[in-house]
Amino acid sequence: QPFVMAPLAVSAIFIAPQSWFAALALALTAFFVSTMVAHGELVRRRPASGHLTEFYLWMSVGGVLGGSFAGLAAPHMFNTVLEYPILLALCLVCRPGVFGRTAGTYLMYGALAAGMVALAALPGMFGIDMLNDYPQVRAIILVTLAGVMMLARSDAARLAFLFVGALGVNAMLSPATMAGSTHRSFFGVHRVAETPDGTFRLLFHGTTLHGAQRIRTPQGDVVREGPPTTYYAFGGPFDDVVRAARATHGGTLGKVGVVGLGAGSLACHRHAGETWRFYEIDPIVVDIARNPANFRFLSDCAPDAAIVVGDARLTLAREAKDTFDLLVIDAFSSDAIPVHLMTGEAMSLYVDRLAPGGMLMMHISNRNLELASVVEANARA
């Protein structure tokens, strides 16, 4: 277990994994090994057969408490996925030999971990970016920490505290490159941030950019009405499809439905006389997009646009048939499209809600999956 957990503690998996495959393999290996250690402890501590019913009852209670904490409490307590490193640290606490030491020993180990994190925070206090300016020094520090953890594996309590300290050191030496605010809901972590030069405000969901608005010129002048950017920009692919849809309806669309709100960029493609309605499953995203201090797309371009909160498969099903001249499916969870929005049944629902001559547009860009053939097959079916 130490030989797996030590590399995990000093890897960049908590900040920005460069290789999702390596990060996944390391995390699953650590999970498997830690699970086997915990099961071994359960077997070692099992009571006599006369007390097995109580033993299994308390095991089940532990499962309920852990699941409730991760699924219900953590999204309200933390604005990032802190329960994951907490879980990893607690896995090491389950190793034999952690308990039964003197209070002074635990205080000494705790002070050691706190001192490690404090030292790692010093470069940031002086404006030194270890992640970008001194990557080799940062790598040497983290690799050394991993080696120290492996050498200290014979003392389970010391290993657990070193692991916590290493997590903190990794976080201090890998600071977020953009200032901003973080919001978390059941559906993930959303981050509103500004680029280092202060010219753009960005919306991230997980590791994926979901909207950007220019807020200042390169000279530092405030931009009052920043047009949509990235793939939502005027003249971009979304704009091309909207123009094509308008051309088939005499230059003006009647009703337009957009599944997936994001930063609200698409609102600025609305023309006067058109009714645009957004469908968004995450109330946090609605709050972010509606707040002009974050993004002004909605407030500037469509302040009266209706936003329907809920799962689009359910909320669209309540709409009348032949409703939309244009229906845009632009829903992502980080880099993934929710699968239930891409099935044949979903496609039938979308087409059923299109008015005669209506157009369906689906956003399927993705780092890891080729989805064009899936959409084409469903469309043909």
Side-chain angles (χ1 to χ4, degrees):
Q1 188 182 29
F3 287 93
V4 180
M5 299 292 274
L8 188 62
V10 300
S11 72
I13 188 172
F14 304 109
I15 309 300
Q18 300 301 312
S19 169
W20 65 269
F21 180 81
L24 183 63
L26 184 59
L28 290 179
T29 302
F31 172 75
F32 172 76
V33 172
S34 297
T35 300
M36 295 304 294
V37 171
H39 276 276
E41 276 296 281
L42 282 174
V43 172
R44 189 175 69 84
R45 293 165 175 259
R46 69 189 186 280
S49 57
H51 297 282
L52 285 179
T53 300
E54 181 182 0
F55 178 67
Y56 291 130
L57 173 64
W58 283 113
M59 283 177 58
S60 301
V61 170
V64 170
L65 292 176
S68 299
F69 176 77
L72 301 176
H76 296 284
M77 296 172 61
F78 310 128
N79 60 3
T80 58
V81 190
L82 280 180
E83 64 270 24
Y84 182 44
I86 290 174
L87 170 66
L88 294 175
L90 291 177
C91 285
L92 290 177
V93 175
C94 293
R95 289 177 63 79
V98 171
F99 299 102
R101 314 294 293 273
T102 64
T105 301
Y106 296 125
L107 287 174
M108 179 180 67
Y109 289 161
L112 173 63
M116 291 165 52
V117 178
L119 285 174
L122 286 177
M125 295 174 62
F126 290 98
I128 299 174
D129 185 353
M130 296 293 293
L131 182 63
N132 297 302
D133 296 340
Y134 301 97
Q136 293 85 1
V137 176
R138 173 181 173 273
I140 292 172
I141 293 173
L142 294 178
V143 170
T144 302
L145 265 180
V148 170
M149 291 173 61
M150 294 177 191
L151 292 175
R153 67 187 185 276
S154 59
D155 187 330
R158 182 172 55 189
L159 175 64
F161 278 101
L162 280 174
F163 181 84
V164 173
L167 288 178
V169 170
N170 189 18
M172 291 297 104
L173 297 182
S174 306
T177 57
M178 292 176 288
S181 59
T182 304
H183 312 265
R184 182 176 176 182
S185 69
F186 176 82
F187 302 99
V189 177
H190 307 278
R191 181 171 174 79
V192 179
E194 292 186 12
T195 52
D197 60 3
T199 56
F200 285 90
R201 184 168 291 125
L202 315 173
L203 174 63
F204 291 93
H205 181 195
T207 60
T208 303
L209 176 66
H210 280 311
Q213 185 168 33
R214 180 182 287 278
I215 56 176
R216 295 181 188 87
T217 65
Q219 293 74 33
D221 299 325
V222 176
V223 176
R224 296 299 178 187
E225 294 184 1
T229 59
T230 66
Y231 31 65
Y232 302 110
F234 296 128
F238 272 83
D239 191 39
D240 290 343
V241 177
V242 173
R243 290 175 184 271
R246 283 199 182 100
T248 64
H249 289 82
T252 301
L253 296 169
K255 292 185 178 180
V256 177
V258 180
V259 176
L261 177 61
S265 307
L266 278 177
C268 290
H269 289 265
R270 186 186 75 161
H271 281 186
E274 297 177 347
T275 301
W276 286 52
R277 176 173 292 183
F278 293 87
Y279 299 83
E280 173 57 50
I281 195 172
D282 194 341
I284 293 292
V285 173
V286 177
D287 293 339
I288 291 173
R290 275 182 165 162
N291 185 354
N294 295 322
F295 301 95
R296 297 187 305 277
F297 298 123
L298 278 178
S299 58
D300 288 351
C301 302
D304 56 343
I307 300 177
V308 181
V309 179
D311 188 298
R313 280 284 295 270
L314 302 177
T315 53
L316 276 177
R318 294 196 288 266
E319 300 287 355
K321 296 183 178 182
D322 303 333
T323 295
F324 300 107
D325 293 334
L326 174 63
L327 182 57
V328 181
I329 310 301
D330 184 29
F332 284 79
S333 177
S334 190
D335 192 47
I337 300 174
V339 176
H340 74 294
L341 296 179
M342 297 190 65
T343 61
E345 292 84 354
M347 188 75 74
S348 297
L349 171 66
Y350 305 149
V351 173
D352 202 39
R353 295 303 181 267
L354 291 178
M359 187 177 294
L360 173 66
M361 172 166 52
M362 300 188 71
H363 183 184
I364 56 171
S365 64
N366 197 275
R367 287 193 187 99
N368 306 310
L369 300 176
E370 186 280 300
L371 298 173
S373 59
V374 177
V375 174
E376 181 184 7
N378 281 339
R380 291 181 183 279

